[in-house]
Amino acid sequence: PDDAAARAARARQDRLTKPPGSLGVLEDLSVRLAALAGACPPPAPAPVAVAVFAADHGVHAQGVTPWPQEVTTQMVANMRAGGAVVNAFARQVGAHVRTVDVGVAGTLAPGDDLTAVKVRPGTADMTAGPAMTRAEAQTAVEAGIRIATGLVADGYRLLVTGDMGIANTTASAALVAVFTGADPAEVTGRGTGIDDATLAHKVDVVRRALARHTPDPADPLGVLSAVGGLEHAALAGYVLGAAAARVPVVLDGVIAGSAALVAAALAPDAVAACVAGHRSAEPGHAAALRALDLRPLIDLDLRLGEGTGALLAVPLVQAAARTLTEVATFDSAAVSERG
Amino acid sequence: PDDAAARAARARQDRLTKPPGSLGVLEDLSVRLAALAGACPPPAPAPVAVAVFAADHGVHAQGVTPWPQEVTTQMVANMRAGGAVVNAFARQVGAHVRTVDVGVAGTLAPGDDLTAVKVRPGTADMTAGPAMTRAEAQTAVEAGIRIATGLVADGYRLLVTGDMGIANTTASAALVAVFTGADPAEVTGRGTGIDDATLAHKVDVVRRALARHTPDPADPLGVLSAVGGLEHAALAGYVLGAAAARVPVVLDGVIAGSAALVAAALAPDAVAACVAGHRSAEPGHAAALRALDLRPLIDLDLRLGEGTGALLAVPLVQAAARTLTEVATFDSAAVSERG
């Protein structure tokens, strides 16, 4: 982050025709955007792309969710047809949807509307062994970096995280527990809406996986290999790619939050590019945001994933940037200041 | 509200390709929009207009704010030139800005870009007598109704409240105290950002005004006459006009919240048309939203007014409606349901 640009943004906010500080969190966000870009005003965070990283999870076999694994494949088809909530919300905010197969178990029809970078057809069951090899984790991270870099090369100036993967909140809970030190019971949630018995079982599954692997948070690729998901790995890379390009990336829910913890462990400065789009109903998400020191923009009990919560935050990010470019100052508008 | 449309919307939400309930507050909002319209899906809440009701306040003479009264007039000019934050945020969400002089103390240049319905050049000092006559309060309410009705006739299908008036949080605090029964100290805030001493004085001003008039919450026009503002009266009418047309109206901060309390006292069903755009930093706003039983969509420590917080909620309202029209069902997309 660029301190001079941040100071210039803060000073400009204080000169705009409004009471100083009256835009609250959006003023802070505008300062962060300026710092990231190294310019005040920062470039407009548009056009917007959301990359939906889809993958399956071997831990599904442990019965952590009532949803069949095939739903991942079916929902990718739904997204490609434009029928998922992520598509509707992307149309609302004018975002391009990039669907990415980084590890779906099923076979997907090829096409220009699918970025096929399948590392493996779903992870292995983390309670029985590593979810993936270290090399596979690295390959998935690199795929995410390349996709972010490619979107920036295509002209996108605001990236949004998306994800699809039945059972992926289990991997997220494990990642959050590793990187925050929290007990699995504190950071494992109901995902799509499981009952008390399934939640207790899910906590036990996470606990057993962590006991088996004792992942070291100082070795992020090792953590991904042990208990991660392919979409988590790719999302960590996506965050790194956005940060390297100094393009802001809006994080969706607990999948993105746990992936951002991986990115932060790999490169702490990457957090400067992250905007917390929302806070989901998953307890692990709140823990991840606290660890990242990010304040969510939206808090509406969403727990859908796909990138939906982050997309809803896009107009807020753009509005924050817009204040620095479009709003008159006291001088320019000849408005009196307070006595 | 139409119960059949509400039930149809809830049933449809449960058939969309997402875990039931996973869109949280937005599902409830989509149900409210269907109930208001009496149709599922409800009509798209677009195009959007924000009416900014500007007026001045005699209580300014009591020193409740460090900002000079002339700022109201200057900011109306700034809005007409497109330089205020409300203009920037309106451009962000594609909203038309209608600037309305319902009681500015200064003289404004006439023009097509100003709706001139000045009832009087600012209220009188509520600590010395009634803020306005009962007839003036009624005239301002009717102006608000007409403006809402006119915007709907012009094709707008989502109305947003806006306001501009130096010292108007003092009148808001008085209104909230009357309609919620709260003590002035609980619902009087720092407005544009006053210091502790001025806040204590402001609480005392509200307390003296209420002691002088002992307004009866069962007589909303009497309350407006005693301690209201002309923009509060017009906004109450604007809410009534939107509700009568069954068009949703997004409320901004404490000015709109206190005006909605007036509208609810005049016609309780009007609340069905109200969407709480955000929760401002003003304590009286939270109290008003509790009394109206409305959950705010955005909560970012905003305290600017003008309609800015409500405008930021517009994409959320539109996204909620969009789910009912654009998202595939499990059947239509051939996606498996949970076991």
Side-chain angles (χ1 to χ4, degrees):
Chain A
D2 181 318
D3 287 344
R7 279 193 303 272
R10 184 69 70 188
R12 185 164 180 85
Q13 283 290 356
D14 288 345
R15 298 295 309 147
L16 300 180
T17 46
K18 61 175 180 54
S22 61
L23 284 175
V25 173
L26 295 188
E27 295 193 21
D28 300 335
L29 178 55
S30 77
V31 171
R32 293 189 69 220
L33 294 172
L36 176 66
C40 178
V48 184
V50 54
V52 183
F53 294 92
D56 278 305
H57 297 267
V59 75
H60 183 274
Q62 292 296 320
V64 290
T65 170
W67 294 84
Q69 189 171 61
E70 68 203 26
V71 169
T72 304
T73 301
Q74 293 167 342
M75 282 300 296
V76 170
N78 192 19
M79 289 175 187
R80 293 171 74 182
V85 179
V86 67
N87 304 102
F89 286 6
R91 286 189 287 268
Q92 176 65 46
V93 304
H96 168 68
V97 180
R98 178 71 56 92
T99 309
V100 182
D101 174 10
V102 69
V104 177
T107 301
L108 298 168
D112 290 345
D113 59 341
L114 181 74
T115 302
V117 290
K118 198 193 298 275
V119 176
R120 53 180 285 169
T123 54
D125 181 353
M126 68 173 86
T127 65
M132 64 189 101
T133 68
R134 190 179 183 89
E136 287 165 343
Q138 182 169 336
T139 301
V141 170
E142 289 170 351
I145 294 173
R146 268 201 312 281
I147 285 166
T149 305
L151 288 169
V152 172
D154 289 346
Y156 294 101
R157 289 298 175 266
L158 183 62
L159 302 189
V160 176
T161 74
D163 59 87
M164 182 67 222
I166 298 299
N168 62 7
T169 59
T170 302
S172 297
L175 292 171
V176 173
V178 170
F179 288 106
T180 68
D183 187 85
E186 294 166 25
V187 295
T188 304
R190 293 176 188 274
T192 52
I194 57 180
D195 60 20
D196 287 352
T198 309
L199 176 59
H201 174 63
K202 186 175 173 182
V203 171
D204 181 62
V205 164
V206 172
R207 202 181 293 286
R208 282 192 283 128
L210 296 179
R212 178 180 189 113
H213 302 290
T214 58
D216 176 5
D219 175 21
L221 284 177
V223 177
L224 281 173
S225 164
V227 299
L230 292 152
E231 73 273 54
H232 299 80
L235 281 164
Y238 186 70
V239 168
L240 295 175
R246 301 181 82 154
V247 166
V249 55
V250 187
L251 306 179
D252 191 37
V254 71
I255 317 302
S258 59
L261 289 172
V262 176
L266 288 164
D269 286 352
V271 179
C274 295
V275 176
H278 82 123
R279 172 163 48 203
S280 84
E282 284 287 291
H285 191 208
L289 293 180
R290 279 193 301 274
L292 294 164
D293 195 23
L294 293 175
R295 173 162 170 171
L297 295 177
I298 285 176
D299 192 359
L300 295 174
D301 298 339
L302 308 178
R303 51 183 173 79
L304 173 53
E306 299 181 2
T308 53
L311 283 170
L312 294 175
V314 162
L316 301 176
V317 178
Q318 293 176 331
R322 209 177 265 266
T323 59
L324 291 173
T325 51
E326 295 189 10
V327 177
T329 62
F330 286 104
D331 293 335
S332 74
V335 172
S336 304
E337 295 193 62
R338 60 181 167 186
Chain B
D2 182 317
D3 287 344
R7 280 193 302 271
R10 184 69 70 188
R12 185 165 180 86
Q13 284 290 357
D14 288 345
R15 299 295 309 147
L16 300 180
T17 46
K18 62 176 179 53
S22 61
L23 284 175
V25 174
L26 295 189
E27 295 194 21
D28 300 335
L29 178 55
S30 77
V31 171
R32 293 188 70 219
L33 294 173
L36 176 66
C40 179
V48 184
V50 55
V52 183
F53 294 92
D56 277 306
H57 296 267
V59 74
H60 183 274
Q62 293 295 320
V64 290
T65 170
W67 294 83
Q69 190 172 60
E70 69 202 27
V71 169
T72 304
T73 301
Q74 294 167 341
M75 281 300 296
V76 170
N78 192 19
M79 289 175 187
R80 294 172 75 183
V85 179
V86 68
N87 305 103
F89 286 6
R91 286 189 288 268
Q92 176 65 44
V93 304
H96 168 68
V97 180
R98 179 71 56 93
T99 309
V100 182
D101 174 10
V102 69
V104 176
T107 300
L108 298 167
D112 291 346
D113 59 341
L114 181 73
T115 302
V117 291
K118 196 194 300 274
V119 176
R120 55 180 284 170
T123 54
D125 180 352
M126 68 171 88
T127 65
M132 65 189 99
T133 69
R134 191 179 181 89
E136 288 165 342
Q138 183 169 336
T139 301
V141 169
E142 289 170 350
I145 294 174
R146 268 201 312 281
I147 286 166
T149 305
L151 288 168
V152 173
D154 289 347
Y156 294 101
R157 290 297 176 264
L158 183 62
L159 302 190
V160 176
T161 74
D163 60 86
M164 182 68 224
I166 297 300
N168 62 8
T169 59
T170 302
S172 297
L175 292 172
V176 173
V178 171
F179 288 106
T180 68
D183 187 85
E186 295 167 23
V187 294
T188 303
R190 292 176 189 275
T192 51
I194 56 179
D195 61 20
D196 288 351
T198 309
L199 175 60
H201 174 63
K202 186 174 172 182
V203 171
D204 181 61
V205 165
V206 173
R207 201 182 293 288
R208 282 192 282 126
L210 295 179
R212 177 178 190 114
H213 301 290
T214 58
D216 176 6
D219 174 22
L221 284 178
V223 177
L224 281 173
S225 163
V227 299
L230 291 153
E231 73 273 55
H232 299 81
L235 281 165
Y238 186 70
V239 168
L240 295 174
R246 302 180 82 154
V247 166
V249 55
V250 187
L251 306 179
D252 192 38
V254 71
I255 316 303
S258 58
L261 289 172
V262 177
L266 288 164
D269 285 354
V271 180
C274 295
V275 175
H278 82 122
R279 173 164 47 203
S280 84
E282 283 287 291
H285 191 208
L289 293 179
R290 279 194 301 272
L292 295 164
D293 194 22
L294 294 175
R295 175 165 169 169
L297 296 176
I298 285 176
D299 192 358
L300 294 174
D301 298 339
L302 309 178
R303 53 182 172 80
L304 172 52
E306 299 182 4
T308 52
L311 283 169
L312 294 175
V314 162
L316 301 176
V317 179
Q318 295 176 331
R322 209 178 265 265
T323 58
L324 292 173
T325 51
E326 295 189 9
V327 177
T329 62
F330 286 105
D331 293 336
S332 74
V335 172
S336 305
E337 294 192 63
R338 59 181 167 185

